[in-house]
Amino acid sequence: MPRVVEQLARRQIRVGRTSSFALDRPDAELQRLAEAGTVLALTKGFYALVPEDRRGKNTTWKPSIEGAALGIAAAMHSPDEVALVGPSAARAHHCYPRALGTAFVAVPDQRRPRQTVLGEIRFVQRHIDKLDTVRIETDLGPGWATSVEQTALDLCRDRPAWSITEEARTEMIRRLADRIDWDLIDGIAETTRGVRTLRRLRALLDRPQS
């Protein structure tokens, strides 16, 4: 097994950046593996490991944009410093059935959006230890996403701009609402300065204000 494949397989989320591989010429090796259908070039300098049963020159395998966003962010930082947020977290919780062309991931520092073969990834500068997060599974490995409660609050905020339609945002919130722990969300709103947002959420869902 090539060393690149071994290194990617050992990662929690199976995405690596060129500069992180312990090779003399990682670019050449990664290009060779991409042509063989063993890895997929997600964007310049970042590669995902193709599942073993889908490898080959004619492979059409691609991961979800959410998995790729989490993997790229984890390769930039670490898996425990990044989390899916907003619409991407709603997708991770299976609260929106349609694929999106943009993914949102929280990272500890400011970064520009990045275009990938799957769509655009937008990085939201937030420290995830200040958010309510839960463990999730993606098609590239396990990671973090904001909890159902935190996600519903975030989607009710005016910022960041989630670049989805109001209809999509409302649908996500209503699907999330079926799983919200309303006692828990009160505490999250207080600790994240989201009390006003929680009032807006309750009004949207026709729930009595606490």
Side-chain angles (χ1 to χ4, degrees), residues 44-144:
K44 184 177 180 180
F46 290 84
Y47 293 81
L49 183 62
V50 177
E52 191 169 1
D53 62 348
R54 299 294 302 275
R55 294 174 195 167
K57 284 190 175 183
N58 298 319
T59 184
T60 58
W61 177 86
K62 288 183 180 179
S64 65
I65 192 171
E66 292 81 20
L70 203 58
I72 289 172
M76 290 176 170
H77 300 280
S78 83
D80 290 328
E81 290 184 304
V82 301
L84 294 176
V85 293
S88 298
R91 287 270 300 156
H93 291 303
H94 308 291
C95 288
Y96 192 71
R98 291 173 287 285
L100 299 173
T102 304
F104 300 85
V105 59
V107 294
D109 56 18
Q110 189 169 4
R111 291 185 178 272
R112 294 179 179 178
R114 183 177 284 267
Q115 290 294 334
T116 75
V117 296
L118 304 160
E120 184 179 60
I121 295 174
R122 295 192 183 181
F123 302 97
V124 181
Q125 185 179 7
R126 299 175 82 176
H127 291 278
I128 73 166
D129 58 353
K130 309 253 185 231
L131 302 172
D132 192 57
T133 55
V134 295
R135 203 71 165 156
I136 58 155
E137 289 288 338
T138 76
D139 45 6
L140 286 170
W144 297 98

